[in-house]
Amino acid sequence: MKFFIDTANVEEIRKAHDMGLIDGVTTNPTLISKEGRDFRPLVSEICEIVDGPVSVEAVSAKSEDLVAEARTLSEIHENIVVKIPMTFEGLRAVRILTSEGIATNVTLIFSPTQALLAAKAGATYASPFIGRLDDVSHVGMDLVEQIIAIYDNYDFNTLVIVASIRNPIHVLEAALMGADIATIPYTVLEQLAKHPLTDVGVERFLDDWKKIPKK
Ligand code: G3P
């Protein structure tokens, strides 16, 4: 299972990378806008920190504009993956970009049939947004389970990125389902490592170690 970090904050990316846990990065316009920095230098810096796929989003509506935008984005660094919205225009763009060898991540997927279309278009990655489904009283992880079943049925090469992760249970369920990738916010990454019994145990062992006579 691969872990991507879902942020455009270089401090968070650096810290997660230093832990040795991060295989890639996903961003979106909302995450980029939070940083208050120029787009291109920010993305270049992210690509220098992590040696793995870095998703950045194309925001055009028409397929020809998405393709042009994706070509420009892919010039920033060889590890750039272009996020393409799950629309018919987006799918047309994915088909063209795939034929040009540009990696794509079909984003804003909320149904299994959307994921099926993304795979048929040849997307490198498909990103179901599970937290946002939970927000509207749908079980987001059910969608991931269905997508994995569909992709397995037909041996699609498209990789599933579980996105819009909000808590450690999302990561646990993604791992149990065998999802290829979870893209995880930094706070959730920290939560994954924490356990109160570990903290208590470390403290107790340290106290007891101090009681042992040493020469
Ligand atoms: O990876 C997609 C993610 O950035 C969306 O997360 O929390 O805005 O639904 P969220």
Side-chain angles (χ1 to χ4, degrees):
M1 184 184 194
K2 291 198 167 158
F3 279 6
F4 291 176
I5 186 164
D6 193 32
T7 183
N9 182 279
V10 289
E11 280 77 35
E12 288 183 348
I13 294 169
R14 243 181 255 285
K15 279 192 279 179
H17 178 258
D18 288 347
M19 289 180 214
L21 291 172
I22 292 306
D23 305 294
V25 181
T26 54
T27 70
N28 60 40
T30 306
L31 294 172
I32 298 262
S33 73
K34 281 185 192 163
E35 298 309 305
R37 290 184 51 183
D38 279 346
F39 174 74
R40 234 185 135 93
L42 174 58
V43 171
S44 297
E45 190 175 342
I46 292 171
C47 291
E48 290 311 318
I49 301 169
V50 177
D51 184 19
V54 174
S55 285
V56 290
E57 194 145 340
V59 293
S60 304
K62 293 274 172 210
S63 59
E64 55 270 26
D65 298 333
L66 283 166
V67 168
E69 207 185 330
R71 286 179 186 142
T72 306
L73 290 172
S74 70
E75 282 165 11
I76 298 176
H77 194 278
E78 60 185 0
N79 287 342
I80 290 289
V81 174
V82 184
K83 272 186 156 178
I84 301 284
M86 178 50 237
T87 59
F88 272 121
E89 294 289 332
L91 292 176
R92 283 187 60 210
V94 167
R95 173 69 66 202
I96 295 164
L97 293 167
T98 301
S99 73
E100 293 180 10
I102 294 175
T104 56
N105 174 358
V106 175
T107 187
L108 293 165
I109 288 181
F110 293 99
S111 80
T113 48
Q114 287 181 320
L116 175 58
L117 296 191
K120 280 194 69 63
T124 319
Y125 302 97
S127 290
F129 273 35
I130 57 166
R132 292 191 194 185
L133 278 170
D134 290 353
D135 290 344
V136 293
S137 304
H138 285 255
V139 180
M141 288 311 300
D142 286 353
L143 170 61
V144 175
E145 196 166 25
Q146 289 175 324
I147 295 171
I148 290 172
I150 291 167
Y151 286 7
D152 281 353
N153 283 346
Y154 298 101
D155 282 336
F156 281 119
N157 292 324
T158 303
L159 299 172
V160 179
I161 303 181
V162 180
S164 183
I165 279 177
R166 304 276 174 77
N167 58 57
I169 300 297
H170 283 149
V171 181
L172 170 63
E173 290 183 336
L176 289 170
M177 286 173 191
D180 301 293
I181 301 142
T183 189
I184 308 171
Y186 184 77
T187 47
V188 176
L189 202 58
E190 281 189 327
Q191 287 173 316
L192 290 175
K194 293 266 177 214
H195 199 291
L197 291 179
T198 305
D199 297 341
V200 169
V202 166
E203 215 166 298
R204 192 177 302 162
F205 284 153
L206 201 61
D207 285 346
D208 292 340
W209 174 251
K210 287 177 191 154
K211 296 175 198 158
I212 303 169
K214 294 158 205 108
K215 287 209 170 168

